[in-house]
Amino acid sequence: MAKEITTRAADYSQWYLDVVAAADLAEHAAVKGCMVIKPTGYAIWEMIQGHLDKMFKATGHVNAYFPLFIPESFMKKEAEHVEGFAPECAVVTHGGGKKLDEPLVVRPTSETIIWSAYKNWIQSYRDLPILINQWANVVRWEMRTRLFLRTTEFLWQEGHTAHATAEEAEEETLKILDVYRRFAEEYMAAPVFYGVKTESQRFAGALRTYCIEAMMQDRKALQAGTSHNLGQNFARAFDVTFQNEQGKLELVYATSWGVSTRLIGALIMTHSDDKGLVLPPRLAPIKAVLVPIWKEDSEREMMLAKARALTSGWEESISFKIDDRDQYRPGYKFNEWEKKGVPLRIEMGPKDVEANQVVLVRRDTGEKIAVPQENLLARIEALLEEMQHNLFVRARAFRDANTFHVDRYAELAEQIEKPGGFFWVHWCGSPDCEARFQEEHKATIRLVPIDEEKEEGACIVCGGRSGQRVLVAKSY
Amino acid sequence: MAKEITTRAADYSQWYLDVVAAADLAEHAAVKGCMVIKPTGYAIWEMIQGHLDKMFKATGHVNAYFPLFIPESFMKKEAEHVEGFAPECAVVTHGGGKKLDEPLVVRPTSETIIWSAYKNWIQSYRDLPILINQWANVVRWEMRTRLFLRTTEFLWQEGHTAHATAEEAEEETLKILDVYRRFAEEYMAAPVFYGVKTESQRFAGALRTYCIEAMMQDRKALQAGTSHNLGQNFARAFDVTFQNEQGKLELVYATSWGVSTRLIGALIMTHSDDKGLVLPPRLAPIKAVLVPIWKEDSEREMMLAKARALTSGWEESISFKIDDRDQYRPGYKFNEWEKKGVPLRIEMGPKDVEANQVVLVRRDTGEKIAVPQENLLARIEALLEEMQHNLFVRARAFRDANTFHVDRYAELAEQIEKPGGFFWVHWCGSPDCEARFQEEHKATIRLVPIDEEKEEGACIVCGGRSGQRVLVAKSY
């Protein structure tokens, strides 16, 4: 814990790991590729879950739970799906001391096991739609792991819906994309671009994959959520039909969508600084810490009593802490809570008590503000909202300052390597032109916008005709 | 869904399965031994989680998340532990397309993986206590499964705490036992006996296992929660030491404790009847359903408008539903909500509107009560609390009527087979005498009381000296 945090300028990757360690969020487990999410990190996940779960329920979804294990044969029923996921699977071959007749895959995602169940749930259009979400762990074997961003096991939510028409499935896919966009912007204070993936970046088995993409402070993109229109692919693979209103048998339409503990990585890289974690107040498990200051041991009890009196009744409105530890000095405490990303520090020493004031210190700007003790809670709540807004505006300004429209490949080639950023470029739609970004710059088309005004142009690679610009960036 | 529910008298086991199906709580998955927890069942689990999580946090615990996979060698470090769990393990032998150097066990419980992490977290007494809980899925290979009661994969919470002294660990173990007891009685409306397990029934690796035991309607016992004092066994196995206040190195003391989706099975078998599920109001995801009644289609809109007006603003206080479906008749709806265990039905027809009243129908007693529409919400909330209390009192009366003090083995042998029940008997403490219950009656000592007054007596098996009575029953 005493270790200094590497600066972003010196080594961005090491900075990220240092912030995770300094804030005590997670660590590598004894099992290769897996992580332990420590209490401070898990509390952030609980905040994310709580808000997202409400948003899902407000849009008509319910939670359920499907098995961890998937018979290997199920994975093989959808050709693209198995091709995409087979290389990442963990496989159970023995159970209860015996070799299994059929190996079981530990779910990398649950389309196949869920559609094998939906087959029995759906007979008529009256059984539709099914709007189910599941909070679960999934496993995708990873060689190169990074805490929160890429681990063999991770936690996520996966929605799996079934619909009677293609239009309804598309509407659901876009509705969830909008939930993800709002969650990113309103809770994570992370501005995102949204759009549709190209064929090469699509979910294995999907008709169309929509996504939200956020910019990290190293100017790379991070895919923060995906919503897939699966068409009738999984219904076909699992033979799930329904009798429509006209009495005809038809294959069911599907969507699936998910966000994961990766969002914690996105949070860290969007807002944190060289002092440690910075959290948007709405996702901060502890919004404020009051650090009472005393010089003489004899003052301690008096100051703690003042601190308790000042915050009496607050617990009904906000989660806060009084740091009453006597083995650490105030400076140590300030530093610790800064590293841990608590949005607001409240300092109160004997002189503040005399002056009937406290000093508020904002984690986002470092600004110190002496304020009267009257109406303190209301002032703090307003300040937290202001900080939430400020973090969003700051992140958006950073993103916009690093997002460019470029039309010459040479210009793209230079800028994408340094300083990096998001690049709106014209693209003709050819996979060959798309492949060039990947091969020459390890960059990808992050998305094709769906709500932007169209603009004709010439493909930045081949000069061919392009109907609109697409977003190119290096990514996590 | 149209299938009749078998009566308890005709076939208790089939009744249980029929109630699960009629209430649409869960079903067997395509994977042997696993279940799909359907939305109605999962909503009950969410209620259980919500209340228990608050109780854990109120007693100082925080949540975290540890990996699903455990290296096989970790399982082997605690001799009793591996002996107990090895036969139930599911084993991953392949990952990412390759055979693994060391097989990974899918966690049947997480002591070993967690103590391998605690080793790095604990150096000094200042790092203690650690009070962590985890909500997770676990896997124990089962041959004979039963929805909720015994499945290969199940959901649970597992607490894992670390302490500086034996006394503190014992105190924690008993504190959680009390949380479980209060949860069972105050939320599940299930009276429980609590106490300590005999050596033969102890958790593999524990010093002492405490438990709560509830009586089901077939008079069998169901272990509803266990809290283990692990002593220094896991600290020894993983070499977890700390420097105590005197500067001496000492092994850390541990506890672990858990309840699972099995509680849903306990809920069903404690309260439900031949009409279907009965839920205690505090754990019912939907507390009340208003069924507006109309004869003519022309009345429908008017009745729905009245229903909405009547319940306007209720959503802030209770979760309820208006059954506005037009494809079903009221009788069908009544029946459906009864099967699903919604505590209170509110019937309102055109004549009720005229009389400015509604009819409340209690799920626990079937009683119909015409009440004025004025102050309806307050009346309903009071009635729900009354029902919660009534269910507890009824379950306790049933348990007490079927709990006996017996002193002659012949009497025990006859009664425990029919009609069954709980039996307080004297026992000398010998494993041989204990084994006789198991061999001759498939019954076990469920617990040795810890707070009862001692009473001298003669062992019901051998006549040897006994210092107190123990609880014997057949069990799930």
Side-chain angles (χ1 to χ4, degrees):
Chain A
M1 288 289 280
K3 188 166 167 283
E4 288 277 317
I5 294 171
T6 307
T7 64
R8 286 163 289 182
D11 182 343
Y12 188 84
S13 293
Q14 190 57 46
W15 165 80
Y16 175 78
L17 294 176
D18 287 353
V19 170
V20 171
D24 207 23
L25 301 179
E27 64 183 27
H28 288 288
V31 190
K32 199 170 168 308
C34 291
M35 68 175 160
V36 175
I37 307 179
K38 300 182 82 172
T40 323
Y42 197 83
I44 299 173
W45 182 237
E46 287 181 299
M47 298 294 292
I48 292 173
Q49 282 190 302
H51 291 298
L52 267 178
D53 198 70
K54 277 204 194 92
M55 293 173 91
F56 296 148
K57 284 176 176 157
T59 44
H61 302 85
V62 291
N63 289 328
Y65 188 78
F66 294 85
L68 172 69
F69 296 139
I70 304 178
E72 211 173 42
S73 57
F74 283 24
M75 289 296 292
K76 294 180 179 162
K77 290 198 178 189
E78 214 291 328
E80 283 187 18
H81 193 68
V82 67
E83 199 188 311
F85 284 103
E88 300 181 355
C89 284
V91 186
V92 175
T93 54
H94 292 72
K98 286 188 186 154
K99 186 162 194 290
L100 303 181
D101 291 337
E102 180 180 3
L104 297 173
V105 167
V106 182
R107 64 179 162 221
T109 179
S110 300
E111 279 76 8
T112 57
I113 190 77
I114 288 180
W115 279 84
S116 80
Y118 282 0
K119 179 176 170 53
N120 303 316
W121 298 6
I122 301 169
Q123 276 87 42
S124 139
Y125 69 95
R126 288 202 182 270
D127 301 322
L128 297 169
I130 294 177
L131 303 173
I132 285 184
N133 175 57
Q134 136 168 314
W135 292 96
N137 53 344
V138 283
V139 170
R140 296 179 186 177
W141 211 261
E142 290 286 352
M143 286 299 111
R144 300 196 315 170
T145 58
R146 235 171 133 63
L147 293 168
F148 292 119
L149 296 173
R150 192 177 296 278
T151 48
T152 290
E153 183 194 14
F154 55 92
L155 304 182
W156 78 345
Q157 61 69 215
E158 48 180 326
H160 294 274
T161 68
H163 304 269
T165 66
E167 294 69 35
E168 227 187 272
E170 180 70 4
E171 194 183 304
E172 168 78 8
T173 314
L174 292 172
K175 182 189 286 177
I176 293 299
L177 183 70
D178 191 59
V179 166
Y180 288 161
R181 182 191 61 74
R182 283 191 288 125
F183 179 75
E185 301 196 339
E186 294 169 18
Y187 292 90
M188 296 176 62
V192 292
F193 287 121
Y194 61 95
V196 65
K197 288 284 183 195
T198 63
E199 196 180 327
S200 76
Q201 303 289 315
R202 213 151 64 188
F203 177 76
L207 217 56
R208 273 187 296 286
T209 287
Y210 295 92
C211 64
I212 55 171
E213 298 277 334
M215 184 187 284
M216 304 295 99
Q217 290 182 63
D218 60 354
R219 301 174 182 79
K220 282 192 191 168
L222 185 141
Q223 175 179 298
T226 47
S227 183
H228 315 293
N229 184 333
L230 305 173
Q232 295 173 307
N233 291 345
F234 286 89
R236 194 174 298 113
F238 286 88
D239 189 26
V240 189
T241 57
F242 73 104
Q243 199 156 42
N244 66 20
E245 286 200 57
Q246 290 74 44
K248 279 180 61 180
L249 271 191
E250 210 180 330
L251 287 169
V252 179
Y253 297 84
T255 84
S256 71
W257 29 274
V259 299
S260 74
T261 34
R262 187 166 222 231
L263 290 185
I264 298 176
L267 265 184
I268 297 168
M269 289 201 291
T270 301
H271 302 299
S272 300
D273 59 24
D274 293 345
K275 289 183 190 166
L277 186 65
V278 175
L279 283 177
R282 288 190 192 163
L283 293 182
I286 301 170
K287 315 288 184 206
V289 167
L290 196 166
V291 182
I293 301 166
W294 57 86
K295 290 230 173 71
E296 312 296 327
D297 278 357
S298 59
E299 291 172 326
R300 179 170 184 262
E301 280 314 310
M302 186 270 284
M303 287 309 301
L304 287 181
K306 293 278 180 200
R308 280 185 217 109
L310 181 65
T311 57
S312 158
W314 283 18
E315 53 282 350
E316 280 160 39
S317 304
I318 63 164
S319 65
F320 71 99
K321 240 189 161 70
I322 297 173
D323 191 342
D324 58 3
R325 293 175 297 173
D326 60 356
Q327 71 266 40
Y328 300 118
R329 303 194 148 270
Y332 179 95
K333 293 178 178 179
F334 296 171
N335 188 246
E336 182 179 336
W337 298 117
E338 267 175 358
K339 286 193 293 188
K340 290 196 167 173
V342 173
L344 212 54
R345 182 168 80 231
I346 309 167
E347 302 177 1
M348 183 172 68
K351 283 190 183 155
D352 296 310
V353 169
E354 265 174 47
N356 203 33
Q357 67 167 34
V358 298
V359 175
L360 302 180
V361 187
R362 288 173 64 153
R363 180 65 186 88
D364 59 341
T365 59
E367 189 187 355
K368 290 189 169 205
I369 323 158
V371 299
Q373 293 186 6
E374 277 73 48
N375 277 324
L376 186 56
L377 178 59
R379 186 183 294 265
I380 284 174
E381 289 179 312
L383 188 54
L384 289 169
E385 275 304 295
E386 189 187 318
M387 291 167 67
Q388 178 82 28
H389 181 66
N390 176 55
L391 285 170
F392 177 74
V393 168
R394 192 163 83 177
R396 192 177 53 191
F398 177 81
R399 182 196 65 179
D400 290 348
N402 291 286
T403 300
F404 309 96
H405 283 59
V406 293
D407 292 317
R408 287 178 32 241
Y409 193 84
E411 197 183 339
L412 173 69
E414 193 192 318
Q415 285 193 48
I416 206 166
E417 293 301 338
K418 201 170 178 180
F422 280 8
F423 299 89
W424 289 113
V425 305
H426 275 290
W427 171 58
C428 63
S430 128
D432 287 346
C433 293
E434 184 184 15
R436 200 164 151 196
F437 305 130
Q438 172 71 37
E439 284 157 19
E440 296 184 0
H441 304 288
K442 289 187 183 157
T444 43
I445 298 177
R446 304 310 302 160
L447 58 82
V448 179
I450 49 177
D451 288 338
E452 305 278 309
E453 268 184 57
K454 304 287 182 210
E455 180 202 86
E456 294 276 329
C459 176
I460 195 166
V461 180
C462 72
R465 199 181 146 200
S466 153
Q468 69 181 122
R469 288 182 186 268
V470 298
L471 189 67
V472 172
K474 291 173 184 273
S475 72
Y476 279 91
Chain B
M1 287 290 279
K3 190 165 167 280
E4 289 277 316
I5 294 171
T6 307
T7 64
R8 286 163 289 183
D11 183 343
Y12 188 83
S13 293
Q14 190 57 48
W15 165 80
Y16 175 78
L17 294 177
D18 288 354
V19 170
V20 171
D24 208 22
L25 301 178
E27 65 183 27
H28 289 286
V31 191
K32 200 169 168 308
C34 291
M35 68 175 160
V36 175
I37 307 179
K38 300 181 81 172
T40 323
Y42 197 83
I44 299 173
W45 182 238
E46 287 181 298
M47 298 294 294
I48 291 173
Q49 282 190 302
H51 291 298
L52 268 177
D53 198 69
K54 277 205 193 89
M55 293 173 89
F56 295 148
K57 284 176 178 158
T59 45
H61 302 85
V62 290
N63 289 328
Y65 188 77
F66 295 85
L68 172 68
F69 296 139
I70 304 177
E72 212 173 41
S73 57
F74 283 23
M75 290 296 293
K76 293 179 179 161
K77 291 199 179 189
E78 215 291 329
E80 282 188 19
H81 193 67
V82 67
E83 199 189 311
F85 284 103
E88 300 180 358
C89 284
V91 186
V92 174
T93 54
H94 291 71
K98 287 186 184 154
K99 188 162 193 289
L100 304 180
D101 291 338
E102 180 181 3
L104 298 172
V105 168
V106 182
R107 66 180 160 221
T109 180
S110 300
E111 279 76 8
T112 57
I113 191 78
I114 288 180
W115 279 84
S116 79
Y118 283 0
K119 179 176 172 52
N120 303 318
W121 299 6
I122 302 169
Q123 275 86 42
S124 139
Y125 70 94
R126 288 202 182 268
D127 301 322
L128 297 170
I130 294 177
L131 304 172
I132 284 182
N133 175 58
Q134 135 168 315
W135 292 96
N137 54 342
V138 283
V139 170
R140 297 178 186 177
W141 212 260
E142 290 287 352
M143 286 299 112
R144 299 194 318 169
T145 58
R146 237 172 132 60
L147 293 168
F148 293 118
L149 297 172
R150 192 176 294 277
T151 49
T152 290
E153 183 194 14
F154 55 91
L155 303 183
W156 79 345
Q157 60 69 216
E158 47 180 326
H160 295 273
T161 68
H163 305 270
T165 66
E167 294 69 34
E168 226 186 272
E170 181 70 5
E171 195 183 301
E172 167 77 10
T173 315
L174 292 172
K175 182 189 287 177
I176 293 297
L177 183 71
D178 191 58
V179 166
Y180 288 161
R181 182 191 61 72
R182 284 191 287 126
F183 179 76
E185 301 196 340
E186 294 169 19
Y187 291 90
M188 297 177 62
V192 292
F193 287 122
Y194 61 94
V196 65
K197 288 284 182 195
T198 63
E199 195 181 327
S200 76
Q201 303 289 313
R202 215 153 61 188
F203 176 78
L207 217 57
R208 274 186 297 285
T209 288
Y210 295 93
C211 64
I212 55 171
E213 298 275 336
M215 184 187 284
M216 304 296 99
Q217 289 181 63
D218 60 353
R219 300 174 183 81
K220 281 193 192 166
L222 186 141
Q223 175 179 298
T226 47
S227 182
H228 315 293
N229 184 333
L230 305 173
Q232 296 173 306
N233 291 345
F234 286 89
R236 194 174 297 112
F238 288 88
D239 189 27
V240 188
T241 58
F242 72 104
Q243 199 157 41
N244 66 20
E245 288 199 56
Q246 290 74 45
K248 278 181 62 179
L249 271 191
E250 209 179 331
L251 287 169
V252 180
Y253 296 85
T255 85
S256 71
W257 29 275
V259 299
S260 73
T261 34
R262 191 167 217 229
L263 289 184
I264 298 176
L267 266 184
I268 296 168
M269 289 200 291
T270 302
H271 303 297
S272 301
D273 60 23
D274 293 345
K275 289 184 191 165
L277 186 65
V278 175
L279 284 177
R282 288 188 192 166
L283 292 182
I286 301 169
K287 316 288 184 205
V289 167
L290 196 166
V291 182
I293 301 166
W294 57 86
K295 289 231 173 68
E296 311 298 326
D297 278 356
S298 58
E299 291 172 326
R300 181 170 183 261
E301 281 314 313
M302 186 271 285
M303 287 309 300
L304 288 180
K306 294 277 179 199
R308 281 184 216 111
L310 181 66
T311 57
S312 157
W314 283 19
E315 52 282 348
E316 279 160 40
S317 304
I318 64 165
S319 66
F320 71 99
K321 239 188 160 71
I322 297 174
D323 191 342
D324 58 3
R325 294 175 296 174
D326 60 355
Q327 72 267 41
Y328 300 117
R329 302 194 148 270
Y332 179 95
K333 294 179 178 179
F334 297 171
N335 188 246
E336 182 179 336
W337 297 116
E338 268 176 357
K339 286 192 294 188
K340 290 196 166 173
V342 172
L344 211 55
R345 183 169 79 232
I346 310 167
E347 302 177 1
M348 183 172 69
K351 283 189 183 154
D352 296 309
V353 171
E354 265 173 46
N356 202 32
Q357 68 167 30
V358 298
V359 175
L360 302 180
V361 187
R362 287 174 64 151
R363 179 66 185 88
D364 59 339
T365 59
E367 190 188 353
K368 291 189 171 206
I369 323 156
V371 299
Q373 292 186 5
E374 278 73 48
N375 275 325
L376 186 55
L377 179 59
R379 186 184 295 263
I380 284 174
E381 288 179 312
L383 188 54
L384 288 169
E385 274 304 293
E386 189 187 319
M387 291 166 68
Q388 178 82 27
H389 181 68
N390 176 55
L391 285 170
F392 178 75
V393 168
R394 192 163 83 179
R396 191 177 54 190
F398 177 81
R399 182 196 65 178
D400 291 348
N402 290 286
T403 300
F404 311 97
H405 284 59
V406 294
D407 293 317
R408 287 176 34 241
Y409 193 84
E411 199 183 337
L412 173 69
E414 193 192 319
Q415 285 192 48
I416 206 166
E417 292 300 339
K418 202 171 176 180
F422 280 9
F423 299 89
W424 288 112
V425 305
H426 275 290
W427 171 58
C428 63
S430 129
D432 287 346
C433 291
E434 183 184 17
R436 200 167 151 195
F437 305 131
Q438 172 70 37
E439 283 157 19
E440 296 184 1
H441 304 289
K442 290 187 183 157
T444 44
I445 298 177
R446 304 309 302 160
L447 58 84
V448 179
I450 50 177
D451 289 337
E452 305 278 307
E453 269 185 55
K454 305 287 183 210
E455 180 202 84
E456 294 276 328
C459 175
I460 195 167
V461 179
C462 73
R465 201 184 143 198
S466 153
Q468 70 180 123
R469 289 183 186 267
V470 298
L471 189 67
V472 172
K474 291 173 184 272
S475 73
Y476 279 93

